Amino acid sequence: MPNFKQITFVSLVMLTALMAVACTTISQPTTPTPENTPSPTVAPTLENTPLPQVLSTTPPTMKGHIDVNGYKLAYQCFGEGSPTVIVEAALFDQPTVAMTWKQVTERVQTVTRICIYNRAEVRTSQDIAQNLHMLLSRIPLPGPYILVGHSIGGYHVRVFAHLYPQEVAGMVLVDTTYPDPMKEFLKAYPTYTPNELPALTSDRATMVAPTPTVNVIAGDFDVAASTEQVIQAGSLGDLPLIVISQHPDPTPWMSPGFSSEDAERLSTAWQNLQADLATLSSKGVFMTAKYSGHYIPVEEPQIIIDALTQMVKEIRSQ
């Protein structure tokens, strides 16, 4: 359960375009088929909680480390076929180590090739997109690609699609960061009262006058510059696009100083922002998870598997 400081950082990060925190525990013993119900749009997220450690049971068909601009980037690819799915994971996620995408890769590899990799700690989304492009050319792994972005990874895939549009066949955004949702979240904050908790007063002020504190959360990643790059990237035209949001449960937003109504407004704002992302493309589709929090690849991977399977079939039929 995120504390109030985390919620504040989420809003601040979202203001400068980072991501919001959703620390829901995994309680389901099995992965049911989610109800992919159309709904409103949007959102982003910052992970400052430990990532689940899951051991892989299926060896990759391709793997290695390739030098890209002085960084050794580890990658793993599973399965065969085109279009190839490329995963941009969440902030601080090293998927070849944590294997947070294990269940997705094991299922999607039966449909087409899917690759995960560990990003270098570079400054902006454009740097990340260019490094990924170089990595793919050196493996070599030709396109077209279906890009999957989780959390802040959504920034990187959107910039990649802008830089290399001819190499992108489709995109799936998984509970991703939304540029500048500040106003939506400020509306959800309780009105100031003289008796409110000091932490609430302080955090509200931090959101109204954001500082470089956010870059401490994000390491060396330049949130403001990357946000501007994403905004400049613009729409996705008619690119096949599926946006997946976490379940609209207000419970994770509850924190000291928040009422149930405040949490409900935050949850609604998140959903509205996620839904709005689906309007980036004339072929955009919006889905919500049945029970998952922010870590959909771990908590409810089937909705991602279904989305990728559907997209692969549509692209191949064109």
Side-chain angles (χ1 to χ4, degrees):
M1 189 79 67
N3 58 32
F4 186 77
K5 200 71 175 178
Q6 290 171 321
I7 295 294
T8 297
F9 279 154
V10 167
S11 302
L12 174 58
V13 170
M14 291 168 114
L15 154 68
T16 47
L18 197 51
M19 39 215 128
V21 193
C23 308
T24 307
T25 56
I26 305 171
S27 57
Q28 270 63 23
T30 59
T31 304
T33 302
E35 297 172 356
N36 302 341
T37 52
S39 185
T41 216
V42 168
T45 280
L46 167 73
E47 294 68 49
N48 50 10
T49 55
L51 293 168
Q53 298 296 308
V54 186
L55 297 179
S56 174
T57 57
T58 302
T61 52
M62 298 171 58
K63 66 177 181 177
H65 294 75
I66 293 181
D67 187 285
V68 174
N69 290 329
Y71 297 95
K72 287 286 187 181
L73 301 186
Y75 71 92
Q76 296 176 349
C77 295
F78 302 81
E80 299 291 341
S82 180
T84 295
V85 176
I86 306 294
V87 174
E88 273 289 357
L91 187 71
F92 305 132
D93 188 356
Q94 299 285 290
T96 70
V97 179
M99 289 307 295
T100 43
W101 287 80
K102 168 187 174 292
Q103 296 180 77
V104 174
T105 57
E106 289 190 342
R107 292 290 301 278
V108 173
Q109 71 173 326
T110 65
V111 178
T112 194
R113 179 187 289 113
I114 178 169
C115 301
I116 55 177
Y117 85 108
N118 300 338
R119 288 190 298 267
E121 294 183 5
V122 292
R123 295 295 295 173
T124 70
S125 288
Q126 181 167 308
D127 295 331
I128 291 168
Q130 291 172 335
N131 281 355
L132 173 59
H133 188 257
M134 188 173 296
L135 172 67
L136 296 175
S137 68
R138 291 182 177 179
I139 290 178
L141 193 62
Y145 310 113
I146 294 176
L147 302 178
V148 182
H150 177 214
S151 194
I152 195 65
Y155 264 29
H156 314 328
V157 298
R158 288 174 62 181
V159 173
F160 187 103
H162 175 66
L163 295 175
Y164 314 105
Q166 301 305 315
E167 300 179 32
V168 181
M171 185 180 295
V172 177
L173 299 177
V174 182
D175 218 42
T176 61
T177 306
Y178 187 97
D180 199 16
M182 184 65 162
K183 293 180 181 179
E184 289 287 335
F185 276 75
L186 279 176
K187 292 176 184 176
Y189 266 69
T191 303
Y192 172 79
T193 63
N195 298 324
E196 71 181 14
L197 295 175
L200 176 54
T201 305
S202 174
D203 289 341
R204 185 189 292 108
T206 300
M207 292 200 322
V208 173
T211 69
T213 301
V214 67
N215 280 328
V216 175
I217 307 173
D220 291 332
F221 185 68
D222 191 328
V223 176
S226 297
T227 298
E228 185 59 31
Q229 291 169 359
V230 174
I231 292 172
Q232 291 298 318
S235 77
L236 299 171
D238 61 355
L239 186 75
L241 170 67
I242 297 177
V243 176
I244 303 172
S245 177
Q246 63 177 274
H247 184 266
D249 178 9
T251 304
W253 296 99
M254 289 298 296
S255 208
F258 269 55
S259 67
S260 58
E261 290 78 13
D262 297 327
E264 183 69 42
R265 285 195 297 271
L266 277 173
S267 176
T268 299
W270 178 293
Q271 292 296 317
N272 288 340
L273 291 174
Q274 287 298 308
D276 190 61
L277 289 173
T279 67
L280 286 169
S281 170
S282 61
K283 295 182 179 179
V285 175
F286 180 66
M287 301 176 175
T288 56
K290 185 175 182 179
Y291 61 82
S292 176
H294 182 59
Y295 281 102
I296 298 174
V298 176
E299 298 176 41
E300 198 171 335
Q302 190 62 49
I303 191 171
I304 302 175
I305 295 165
D306 291 343
L308 287 170
T309 300
Q310 171 186 326
M311 185 170 288
V312 168
K313 290 180 179 178
E314 290 179 358
I315 291 172
R316 287 177 177 173
S317 66
Q318 293 176 356

